[in-house]
């Protein structure tokens, strides 16, 4: 073999000869696959380059659709929605079904249910229509439950978010306030607050909200403590976002599922607390309530049991509705349960 034949240079592949050109070609091929997704200049991970905002939004939308589908297929949740819809319809149509003041004496006392067609559920010891009281009492119970829950959620989310996000001495100080409220039994504190102020619907709503917010605050604090070291939060801080924007737009949406489940249970608890206050005679005397109806009929339990049974069943159906809906929301929004499916 001659020297000239052994010294022949083998051809070099273009990709090996020019590695930068190969990288540019690979990048151009990736861009051609998804032309509408402009690569982010500060991110060099392949997944980050290929991901577009529309794809991320589509993923969040699919998760919401999946949660809604799971909720609608849950028979327990649908049963709760049916109970709640019946209570809502009764509360909305109460002024048309039973016009006038439900506290007016309209008939002979102690009419049993079905004895008079005009008074389907009978009358109480003062001749007041029991059905009218239940219908108008549904308005009071739902108003108190929803309003008190909104107050409790506002206080709990605000305090819990600040405590879990900042940590340090801010967390220690706010947790002392939470512990101070939780050391006092909630119902005793509620009775004291209503007794100090004038017993009215507004007073009862504010008092129930002040009693129920510590539970929400501890839940939100735990969620924010778990989220504040996540990558998307660190990226938001690196981009210079303000604390309020990170809390409200980045972290709070990720902490909403347990808050939504807790809010349904809070509405049921608020209805029970208002009924207990009215049963003890500490409710608003100018409105009719399910608890006040039970309180006025307890002395006649042996002779006219329907006076306590009718409003008692109304409370059971309303509270059961929110509890069943809460269970359905937990099944739909809990990621661990969704993975098991």
């Amino acid at each position: 073999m001659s020297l000239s034949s052994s010294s022949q240079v083998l051809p070099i592949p273009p990709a090996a000869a020019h590695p930068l050109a190969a990288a540019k070609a690979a990048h151009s091929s990736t861009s051609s696959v998804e032309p509408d997704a402009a690569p982010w200049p500060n991110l060099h991970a392949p997944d980050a380059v290929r991901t577009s905002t529309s794809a991320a939004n589509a993923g969040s939308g699919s998760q919401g659709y999946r949660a809604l589908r799971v909720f609608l297929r849950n028979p327990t949740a649908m049963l709760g929605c049916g109970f709640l819809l019946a209570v809502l319809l009764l509360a909305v149509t109460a002024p048309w079904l039973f016009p006038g003041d439900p506290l007016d004496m309209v008939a002979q006392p102690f009419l049993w249910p079905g004895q008079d067609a005009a008074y389907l559920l009978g009358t109480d010891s003062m001749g007041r229509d029991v059905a009218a009281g239940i219908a108008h009492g549904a308005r009071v119970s739902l108003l108190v439950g929803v309003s008190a829950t909104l107050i409790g959620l506002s206080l709990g989310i605000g305090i819990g978010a600040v405590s879990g996000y900042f940590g340090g001495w801010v967390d220690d100080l706010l947790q002392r306030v939470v512990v101070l409220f939780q050391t006092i039994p909630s119902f005793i504190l509620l009775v004291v607050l209503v007794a100090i102020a004038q017993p009215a619907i507004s007073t009862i709503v504010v008092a129930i909200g002040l009693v129920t917010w510590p539970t929400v605050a501890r839940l939100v604090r735990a969620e924010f403590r778990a989220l504040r070291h996540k990558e998307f939060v660190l990226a938001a801080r690196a981009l210079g976002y303000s604390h309020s924007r990170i809390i409200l737009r980045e972290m709070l949406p990720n902490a909403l599922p347990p808050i939504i489940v807790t809010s349904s249970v809070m509405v049921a608890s608020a209805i029970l607390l208002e009924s207990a206050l009215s049963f003890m005679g500490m409710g608003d005397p100018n409105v009719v309530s399910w608890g006040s109806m039970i309180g006025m009929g307890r002395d006649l339990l042996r002779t006219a049991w329907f006076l306590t049974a009718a409003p008692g069943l109304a409370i059971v159906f309303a509270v059961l509705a929110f509890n069943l809906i809460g269970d359905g929301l937990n099944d739909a929004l809990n990621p661990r349960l969704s993975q098991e499916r």
Side-chain angles (χ1 to χ4, degrees):
M1 181 180 295
S2 64
L3 180 63
S4 60
S5 61
S6 62
S7 62
Q8 290 180 355
V9 179
L10 297 177
I12 300 176
H18 303 285
L20 295 178
K24 291 182 180 180
H27 179 69
S28 61
S29 62
T30 304
S31 303
S32 62
V33 174
E34 191 175 357
D36 59 339
W40 297 348
N42 296 328
L43 296 178
H44 304 286
D47 295 337
V49 173
R50 289 194 298 267
T51 302
S52 62
T53 305
S54 60
N57 293 333
S60 62
S62 62
Q63 293 178 359
Y65 177 75
R66 182 207 60 79
L68 179 61
R69 185 175 67 250
V70 172
F71 181 80
L72 294 178
R73 290 182 178 179
N74 192 333
T76 303
M78 291 298 99
L79 182 61
C81 290
F83 288 158
L84 180 59
L85 182 60
V87 176
L88 287 174
L89 289 176
L90 184 62
V92 171
T93 59
W96 291 275
L97 294 177
F98 305 99
D101 191 352
L103 296 175
D104 291 341
M105 295 179 286
V106 294
Q108 178 184 354
F110 295 114
L111 288 178
W112 277 71
Q115 186 175 349
D116 191 341
Y119 310 104
L120 296 177
L121 297 180
T123 58
D124 61 3
S125 59
M126 300 183 66
R128 293 174 294 197
D129 191 359
V130 176
I134 291 177
H136 287 270
R139 300 167 61 89
V140 175
S141 296
L142 292 178
L143 175 63
V144 171
V146 174
S147 301
T149 300
L150 291 178
I151 294 176
L153 285 176
S154 301
L155 292 175
I157 291 175
I159 295 176
V162 173
S163 178
Y165 176 76
F166 290 102
W169 66 269
V170 177
D171 185 22
D172 294 337
L173 178 61
L174 293 179
Q175 288 308 303
R176 297 296 182 272
V177 178
V178 173
V179 171
L180 178 62
F181 272 83
Q182 289 189 325
T183 53
I184 306 174
S186 58
F187 188 72
I188 295 178
L189 179 60
L190 177 62
V191 171
V192 171
L193 293 176
V194 175
I196 294 175
Q198 182 180 2
I201 292 297
S202 58
T203 304
I204 295 174
V205 167
V206 175
I208 295 176
L210 292 176
V211 167
T212 56
W213 71 266
T215 303
V216 183
R218 295 184 69 90
L219 174 64
V220 175
R221 173 182 176 269
E223 292 293 328
F224 271 64
R225 284 177 63 89
L227 291 173
R228 66 178 180 177
H229 297 298
K230 296 293 184 180
E231 289 79 4
F232 67 93
V233 177
L234 299 178
R237 290 176 178 174
L239 291 174
Y241 290 168
S242 62
H243 296 308
S244 59
R245 178 173 180 177
I246 296 175
I247 291 174
L248 296 177
R249 301 186 60 180
E250 303 294 335
M251 300 180 69
L252 184 59
N254 291 276
L256 278 181
I259 297 175
I260 294 174
V261 175
T262 305
S263 63
S264 62
V265 181
M266 289 177 62
V267 176
S269 300
I271 293 175
L272 288 176
L273 290 174
E274 187 277 330
S275 300
L277 285 176
S278 299
F279 177 81
M280 297 174 58
M282 301 185 66
D284 192 342
N286 298 319
V287 297
V288 62
S289 174
W290 291 339
S292 62
M293 294 177 66
I294 296 176
M296 289 183 292
R298 60 183 172 181
D299 295 332
L300 304 170
L301 188 58
R302 292 184 178 181
T303 58
W305 56 267
F306 63 92
L307 296 179
T308 56
L313 287 176
I315 295 175
V316 168
F317 281 120
V319 173
L320 182 62
F322 285 105
N323 284 325
L324 293 179
I325 291 174
D327 292 339
L329 290 174
N330 184 36
D331 294 341
L333 300 176
N334 194 335
R336 296 178 180 176
L337 297 178
S338 63
Q339 290 176 1
E340 292 178 359
R341 293 185 177 89

